[in-house]
Amino acid sequence: MNHFTADDGTRIFFERSGDGRPLILLHGWTGSHQDWALHSTALAESSCVYRWDARGHGIHPQATKGAAPTVSRMARDLKNLFERHALESIDVVGHSMGALTLWQYIADFGTERLRRACFIDQSPKLLTTPEWAHGIYGDFDDARAAAMRHSLSEDFAEAVLKLTALGLNQRARERYLVDTNGWKKLRAALKAQPSDELICCWNSLTAADYRTVLSRIDIPSLLIHGSESNFYRIETAQFVAAQIPNAILHIYEGADHCPHLLQHERFIRDLQCFLSEDEVITYRNSL
């Protein structure tokens, strides 16, 4: 893998493929650059694709120097990536934590370097309140967040599995309860990850609130949400779409929190069309 050095001395690893306009793919919490393995070859036909392992994720060792992997620090890492490689007119795709990272980047540094953005299945505020029901599950309040932090410290892997499985997607719940091979493989992968770093990251994600950032996004944006997301109802996607000017929303029927994986061929087509040189209004009118 390639790497660049962030401004605190931390090496951030990434894969690069293809030529053309830069396209950055940002994975979700506990994920890695390999989350985009189904997409990178096709996308590299028309773009120069960068897939990183976010700080504290993937092949990064337990940090021995540099800052913890908070969402603010990861947004600054993204800025460092742009600067180290002199990237301009950049297209960025963020799934889950990746969407939060991109919103944090926009909050901190604006959209000057960005051309178009795609946000996949994410709420701008994870925790719910009596006035905000578009967070996790619609009822993930401070008490549930505290319980989650305790569970993560007790058994990190199982806490992450339960967060994913025991939410809004019934199929995920059923498969978790019978402990299918897929859940066993995911459990083993999570056990191998640096839990202290990832818990720190989780705490920063749940503390964030990007609702006021959405209206400041002045570049064309594509939103992809699963109709059977583990975490968010369709109303959350509709809220985000209503707040971002020039936003296009696609709901992938039957898809969970990872619609780009479950329906990866459709996602590639949708993204390539959105990123094409045609005017976005043409794409919008074709929907």
Side-chain angles (χ1 to χ4, degrees), residues 66-78:
T70 65
V71 67
S72 294
R73 182 60 249 188
M74 291 185 290
R76 190 166 187 85
D77 291 340
L78 188 61

Side-chain angles (χ1 to χ4, degrees), residues 34-102:
Q34 296 194 33
D35 291 3
W36 304 102
L38 293 173
H39 315 89
S40 59
T41 299
L43 294 176
E45 293 175 1
S46 54
S47 300
C48 182
V49 178
Y50 292 76
R51 302 180 289 148
W52 77 359
D53 282 353
R55 176 182 297 247
H57 294 70
I59 70 168
H60 291 111
Q62 190 81 21
T64 56
K65 65 176 181 177
T70 65
V71 67
S72 294
R73 182 60 249 188
M74 291 185 290
R76 190 166 187 85
D77 291 340
L78 188 61
K79 179 176 183 284
N80 291 164
L81 171 63
F82 296 167
E83 293 170 339
R84 301 294 187 267
H85 292 270
L87 302 181
E88 300 287 348
S89 191
I90 307 161
D91 299 321
V92 187
V93 179
H95 168 238
S96 194
M97 181 187 79
L100 298 174
T101 302
L102 183 51

